[in-house]
Amino acid sequence: MLENIIIKQKKLLLASLQQLIQINSVEAEGKKGMPFGQGVDDALRFAIELGESFGFSTVYNEGYYGYIEMGEGKELVGMLGHLDVVPVEKPELWTFPPFGGEIANNRVYGRGSLDDKGPIIAALYAMHAVKEAAIPLKKRVRLILGTNEETGWKCIKKYLEEEEIPQYGFVPDSDFPLIHGEKGLLQIKLQIDEGASFSMVGGGALNSVPDSCSYTGNQIEKLVEALKATDYSYTQQGDTITLQGKTAHTAKCWEGINAITQAALLLNQENISAPIIDFIAKEVGEDIYAKNMFGNYYDDISGKLTFNVAKVKVDNQQQQVYVDLRIPVTKEKEEVLSILEKVVSSYGLQMEVLSFLSPLYVSEDHFLIKALRNVYEEVTGLNSTPLTTGGATYARSLQNFVAFGPLFPGEIKMAHKTNEYIDIDSLMKCTLIYAKAISRLGQ
Ligand SMILES: [Zn+2]
């Protein structure tokens, strides 16, 4: 029943997605009533009007968010997606215009096709199919439309302040089968107001493994000699040596090579001392799990704590290091901080918490997980064992929410990339899964 309705809607669904991609909704300068710019607001209004045309009730709130709702009852089930997209860095590299929404190779191409306009259109046509099939819902189902996922989550923050919070739900902005655990994300700065006899600078963005770290000072000859006995890559220019590592996302820091920890180990080995360097070399070294400090710190659900030394700055005034930690879902931030505090204070370092995103975790026994796994298996026949990640999706902004699709196992992650696309068969399958999920969760 649902399947037939969705197949009949295919042309309209694709046309809606094409139109939505054609609205350039990269964040732009805010205007009155359009906090994230005209394009984002146009995309939000487009989605709401489509919901209205299906006969659903809708709400638009000052350009921050909107929602589309169906069903009846006291309880509220949610789906959360976003209409803003990341900028197009190099349009000349695109085979199809980034805001064209062109169809080729059984794919819809364009910025946002996968992240997250395709999934929003899938969720909206899924609601439509449930309505057409006259499946009775005992709960209300609400598609929440965010507008600022890529650059600050201001939309969902405002939603949480002003609106009813769904009891549970899913976010169509990641992977199938589903992600039910995301590690806590803690970023800290360690500092000592004490100069060093050399300077060092390395790394940048805290969510990356640093691929470069430079030492400048008067111990070059000694260091170059020591480097010959290692397999480290480096370049030398005058009295500066630059170590070269390999970058990776912090959530997968085991895939990178950390140039800062290599530099610290090298200096430490040659007895060039400074509190920050001593701390990095002795307590972390090449161990991304920092077992020296934390022991075997893990849980069965999401794995080990990771410790990415992401950025360093040492000069004749000050020494600073920035760290990005990913904490297992069942562990407490306070415990991690107290373990750290003891160690860093013994080096005379001061610790400052820069940011913390609490973990996402919904137990496998929860009705939501059982229902979504069931629906996914029914449609695909594939294994539905839930996943966990060190990354951060939009799902962690709401309690009892999980990430659910749109990408199927083995598909290439094209979000944020050149020639972003969504496969049309996958999009249709995704729509069916969401329609069944709505009917199941709405019971
Ligand atoms: Zn997204």
Side-chain angles (χ1 to χ4, degrees):
M1 183 75 160
L2 280 170
E3 197 163 4
N4 293 337
I5 294 169
I6 289 167
I7 291 168
K8 271 193 209 141
Q9 295 285 324
K10 184 173 173 180
K11 258 194 176 158
L12 288 171
L13 185 156
L14 291 175
S16 297
L17 177 55
Q18 290 181 294
Q19 283 175 281
L20 185 53
I21 291 169
Q22 283 158 9
I23 303 169
N24 175 344
S25 56
V26 174
E27 182 180 1
E29 208 181 314
K31 303 193 221 179
K32 198 172 182 298
M34 299 174 187
F36 313 113
Q38 179 85 50
V40 173
D41 196 64
D42 288 347
L44 176 58
R45 287 179 187 274
F46 176 89
I48 288 173
E49 275 164 28
L50 188 58
E52 254 164 33
S53 77
F54 292 156
F56 299 131
S57 65
T58 63
V59 165
Y60 166 91
N61 191 349
E62 294 172 10
Y64 276 92
Y65 60 83
Y67 55 84
I68 299 165
E69 193 174 298
M70 70 184 300
E72 268 169 67
K74 232 182 123 197
E75 278 189 85
L76 182 65
V77 179
M79 296 183 282
L80 169 66
H82 63 93
L83 290 157
D84 56 318
V85 296
V86 293
V88 174
E89 302 291 354
K90 290 183 179 142
E92 68 278 10
L93 295 180
W94 285 64
T95 313
F96 302 95
F99 299 102
E102 281 185 30
I103 292 178
N105 316 318
N106 199 40
R107 294 164 173 171
V108 184
Y109 284 91
R111 177 57 84 225
S113 53
L114 183 67
D115 178 19
D116 192 34
K117 291 175 171 176
I120 281 189
I121 292 293
L124 196 42
Y125 274 82
M127 291 170 79
H128 178 61
V130 171
K131 188 180 176 220
E132 289 286 292
I135 295 170
L137 298 178
K138 295 197 198 82
K139 295 171 190 161
R140 288 169 296 133
V141 176
R142 180 181 289 184
L143 173 61
I144 303 167
L145 305 161
T147 53
N148 182 233
E149 192 270 346
E150 301 291 1
T151 41
W153 295 19
K154 289 188 202 99
C155 48
I156 190 68
K157 278 176 199 143
K158 194 167 172 75
Y159 180 93
L160 292 171
E161 281 164 21
E162 300 192 2
E163 302 287 347
E164 182 181 353
I165 317 280
Q167 275 77 40
Y168 49 79
F170 65 87
V171 172
D173 187 17
S174 192
D175 299 326
F176 282 122
L178 64 88
I179 297 172
H180 76 133
E182 296 179 9
K183 287 180 179 170
L185 198 165
L186 176 65
Q187 297 183 326
I188 57 164
K189 178 166 97 170
L190 305 175
Q191 179 170 322
I192 182 166
D193 292 326
E194 180 186 302
S197 61
F198 58 89
S199 67
M200 181 178 271
V201 55
L206 301 199
N207 62 3
S208 297
V209 175
D211 62 357
S212 147
C213 183
S214 299
Y215 160 96
T216 306
N218 56 15
Q219 305 279 337
I220 290 290
E221 275 171 40
K222 191 163 130 181
L223 290 173
V224 168
E225 202 48 46
L227 274 165
K228 286 181 187 157
T230 70
D231 56 0
Y232 297 172
S233 317
Y234 68 97
T235 54
Q236 186 196 345
Q237 210 170 26
D239 58 358
T240 298
I241 292 175
T242 303
L243 281 144
Q244 279 143 1
K246 185 181 145 208
T247 193
H249 194 281
T250 300
K252 291 187 175 172
C253 53
W254 49 87
E255 291 176 358
I257 297 172
N258 192 314
I260 296 174
T261 56
Q262 285 190 337
L265 283 168
L266 182 73
L267 265 61
N268 186 254
Q269 181 199 314
E270 295 307 308
N271 298 316
I272 303 170
S273 179
I276 283 283
I277 300 300
D278 299 349
F279 167 77
I280 299 171
K282 290 179 188 158
E283 305 299 338
V284 192
E286 281 177 343
D287 178 18
I288 55 161
Y289 306 115
K291 286 193 284 297
N292 221 6
M293 286 185 280
F294 292 96
N296 202 6
Y297 203 77
Y298 78 105
D299 66 26
D300 288 334
I301 301 154
S302 59
K304 293 179 188 168
L305 171 139
T306 60
F307 194 93
N308 179 39
V309 178
K311 184 177 165 184
V312 71
K313 195 166 174 265
V314 174
D315 57 29
N316 57 11
Q317 307 272 320
Q318 227 178 25
Q319 308 174 29
Q320 293 175 331
V321 63
Y322 295 77
V323 183
D324 181 311
L325 295 99
R326 306 284 157 128
I327 304 170
V329 294
T330 60
K331 302 286 186 187
E332 296 291 336
K333 171 185 75 170
E334 285 68 28
E335 188 180 65
V336 171
L337 287 174
S338 90
I339 294 170
L340 263 174
E341 181 59 49
K342 268 189 216 122
V343 180
V344 304
S345 61
S346 71
Y347 290 82
L349 307 178
Q350 291 195 325
M351 180 164 69
E352 184 191 333
V353 173
L354 302 173
S355 72
F356 177 66
L357 271 182
S358 45
L360 171 152
Y361 176 55
V362 185
S363 153
E364 286 192 40
D365 305 329
H366 195 289
F367 163 69
L368 172 72
I369 308 287
K370 287 184 181 160
L372 295 183
R373 288 186 65 170
N374 210 288
V375 160
Y376 176 76
E377 282 180 10
E378 200 177 293
V379 174
T380 65
L382 296 171
N383 180 314
S384 70
T385 306
L387 310 168
T388 61
T389 168
T393 75
Y394 215 15
R396 73 168 84 200
S397 56
L398 288 156
Q399 295 257 309
N400 291 321
F401 266 62
V402 296
F404 188 52
L407 221 51
F408 290 94
E411 288 190 303
I412 304 169
K413 293 181 191 292
M414 292 304 294
H416 299 200
K417 294 195 179 146
T418 299
N419 286 322
E420 179 177 346
Y421 66 82
I422 191 162
D423 178 88
I424 291 177
D425 292 341
S426 297
L427 178 66
M428 300 312 294
K429 209 193 299 174
C430 187
T431 307
L432 179 60
I433 292 174
Y434 291 164
K436 291 195 173 207
I438 291 166
S439 355
R440 199 73 53 94
L441 296 175
Q443 290 313 300

